[in-house]
């Protein structure tokens, strides 16, 4: 895959992010010139190449959005696959740490004769600050 300036800037933005980002947030934070269509095309390509992950979250206050994170790639020094908690009141994300359900996924694979390529887990509710 060719590393254009925009693509490299998107990869760097995702790798540096402490929380999942929307495409609009990525677009606004880029240090290089790129239009929104370029950002969306590159995010789709990065997902196809396994360099980014996304999930769709519905928030009563903010609507339905797709959020992006850097995919696990130890060779590149990118963080491991993560799970998230989303506060419905303050709309913040809490990193729940690296994936802890791989044993459950393996059990499903064995039980049902399937091969899981990827999974997404996020929890929603009220954070301690808003509770």
């Amino acid at each position: 895959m060719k590393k254009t300036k925009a693509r490299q800037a998107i990869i760097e933005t995702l790798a540096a992010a402490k929380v999942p980002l929307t495409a609009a947030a990525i677009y606004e934070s880029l240090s290089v010139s790129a239009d929104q269509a370029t950002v969306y095309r590159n995010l789709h390509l990065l997902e196809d190449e396994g360099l980014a992950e996304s999930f769709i979250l519905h928030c009563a206050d903010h609507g339905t959005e797709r959020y992006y994170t850097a995919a696990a790639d130890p060779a590149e020094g990118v963080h491991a696959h993560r799970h998230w908690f989303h506060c419905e009141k303050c709309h913040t994300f809490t990193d729940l740490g690296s994936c802890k359900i791989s044993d459950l996924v393996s059990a499903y694979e064995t039980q049902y004769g399937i091969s899981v390529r990827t999974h997404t887990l996020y929890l929603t509710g009220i954070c301690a600050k808003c509770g």
Side-chain angles (χ1 to χ4, degrees):
M1 171 178 51
K2 183 179 174 187
K3 296 260 180 133
T4 64
K5 288 180 183 179
R7 191 169 300 139
Q8 186 60 40
I10 293 168
I11 291 169
E12 290 169 3
T13 298
L14 288 173
K18 303 264 189 243
V19 297
L21 300 173
T22 63
I26 294 166
Y27 169 73
E28 291 171 6
S29 68
L30 288 182
S31 58
V32 299
S33 178
D35 60 24
Q36 287 181 327
T38 299
V39 171
Y40 281 103
R41 276 194 310 272
N42 278 287
L43 286 169
H44 183 73
L45 177 67
L46 292 171
E47 278 193 285
D48 286 348
E49 294 291 322
L51 298 173
E53 297 177 344
S54 72
F55 61 91
I56 297 172
L57 173 80
H58 176 73
C59 175
D61 290 339
H62 294 89
T64 302
E65 292 263 14
R66 180 176 294 272
Y67 289 86
Y68 296 88
T69 60
D73 187 354
E76 295 290 324
V78 177
H79 59 76
H81 170 75
R82 316 294 285 179
H83 292 163
W84 304 93
F85 172 82
H86 169 258
C87 179
E88 296 170 333
K89 284 194 175 185
C90 65
H91 195 59
T92 59
F93 284 94
T94 300
D95 184 349
L96 299 177
S98 60
C99 181
K100 293 179 178 58
I101 66 169
S102 52
D103 289 341
L104 178 61
V105 171
S106 293
Y108 285 143
E109 289 177 319
T110 300
Q111 182 178 356
Y112 296 103
I114 59 176
S115 177
V116 176
R117 292 184 317 147
T118 186
H119 69 269
T120 302
L121 176 69
Y122 65 86
L123 307 172
T124 60
I126 307 300
C127 71
K129 185 176 85 179
C130 294

